[in-house]
Amino acid sequence: MKGQEPNIDYAVVRSRRSTVDIIIERDGSVLVRAPEWVNDQQVEKVVQSRQYWIYQSLAEWRDLNATRVLREYKNGEGFLYLGRAYRLRLANNQDAPLQFQQGRFMLRRDLVESGDVATAKAAFRDYYIARGLDRIGQRVAYFAPKVGVEPTDIDVRELGHRWASCSPTGKLAFHWKCMMAPQTIIDYIVVHHHRDHTDAFWNEVDKVMPEYRERKEWLRKNGAGLDI
């Protein structure tokens, strides 16, 4: 569902939450998360009352994304994994499209020389997905009982502008780009992205991760750089 105020386009998502929340997504879009019982007119009033904050946040988003790093697929380029940058080396004789050996990413040279950048990107994406299923799965298993949730399934895949999502059935999905962030930030994403953000939920989050606000701010400032 979509609504519009002067110069502000926003999407509305309703769920079994208790308050109206406005967030700026990774792609710069404005999302209003509202309780099921809140009608369109009430949503518009909330958006109107927070126009200054929305304009300010969108300006910050533009500034942060102006520093996005555009990486090239050539020897010596740095690619992120778990918060650290590792150099790329193009390999001549290698069966797998991408491997990680001796502190370097080894990318099959023919993927680059063919000019098919999409294939080279897919090699990194597949690598992060494979590693993410294991590592993120372990972190979900660790944190879920601490914050009182019971996920039904876990997936790592392309999620567009979302870092993670939770379906009504409790299935968690995480963006493969999460694997480019430091482990502390991955933990924040794991803890934060659940369907029902009640006061009780945040109380539990504060207990197991009292510095979650700092991690949230790190992700806001550095998220645009987590890309290939």
Side-chain angles (χ1 to χ4, degrees):
M1 182 177 183
K2 293 186 177 181
Q4 184 175 15
E5 287 292 324
N7 300 321
I8 296 180
D9 292 315
Y10 61 89
V12 181
V13 175
R14 290 182 170 82
S15 63
R16 293 179 295 175
R17 58 185 293 119
S18 58
T19 59
V20 177
D21 185 28
I22 302 176
I23 60 175
I24 308 301
E25 296 281 24
R26 286 178 55 214
D27 64 348
S29 62
V30 180
L31 176 66
V32 180
R33 300 185 296 191
E36 296 173 341
W37 50 267
V38 174
N39 61 39
D40 292 347
Q41 290 73 27
Q42 291 172 309
V43 169
E44 289 179 3
K45 287 182 180 179
V46 174
V47 172
Q48 197 169 30
S49 69
R50 299 197 64 189
Q51 279 193 27
Y52 177 78
W53 178 87
I54 293 173
Y55 289 135
Q56 186 180 46
S57 298
L58 288 174
E60 290 179 359
W61 178 88
R62 286 189 289 270
D63 289 343
L64 293 172
N65 279 269
T67 59
R68 175 172 291 178
V69 177
L70 297 178
R71 293 180 171 85
E72 298 182 72
Y73 293 85
K74 62 181 183 180
N75 283 322
E77 181 67 279
F79 285 81
L80 294 170
Y81 179 61
L82 297 179
R84 291 185 59 187
Y86 295 94
R87 298 299 181 185
L88 179 68
R89 176 177 293 174
L90 302 181
N92 293 316
N93 300 311
Q94 181 172 290
D95 293 331
L98 180 71
Q99 294 180 349
F100 187 79
Q101 294 180 349
Q102 299 179 341
R104 288 181 179 269
F105 279 113
M106 308 291 290
L107 180 67
R108 213 169 63 203
R109 183 181 295 275
D110 64 288
L111 299 182
V112 177
E113 292 181 344
S114 66
D116 188 2
V117 177
T119 302
K121 287 188 175 183
F124 273 92
R125 180 198 64 211
D126 293 345
Y127 180 88
Y128 291 131
I129 288 175
R131 300 304 181 278
L133 286 170
D134 180 53
R135 181 174 288 268
I136 294 177
Q138 292 180 17
R139 302 312 287 167
V140 169
Y142 175 78
F143 282 111
K146 294 181 180 294
V147 294
V149 297
E150 297 181 3
T152 58
D153 196 10
I154 301 169
D155 192 17
V156 178
R157 55 186 171 86
E158 173 65 48
L159 283 179
H161 57 272
R162 306 296 299 274
W163 286 113
S165 66
C166 181
S167 74
T169 60
K171 181 176 180 178
L172 299 177
F174 297 89
H175 202 300
W176 55 266
K177 291 181 182 179
C178 291
M179 293 302 293
M180 305 178 77
Q183 183 63 63
T184 55
I185 305 305
I186 294 175
D187 285 349
Y188 162 73
I189 295 172
V190 166
V191 169
H192 172 259
H193 286 83
H194 292 284
R195 184 165 49 90
D196 298 319
H197 287 177
T198 61
D199 290 341
F201 169 81
W202 283 115
N203 287 337
E204 294 305 312
V205 171
D206 196 49
K207 291 177 184 177
V208 302
M209 191 178 289
E211 69 282 9
Y212 76 87
R213 295 176 184 84
E214 289 82 359
R215 301 188 190 190
K216 178 180 180 180
E217 181 65 10
W218 187 98
L219 189 60
R220 186 186 72 83
K221 290 183 176 180
N222 298 282
L226 303 180
D227 205 352
I228 56 173

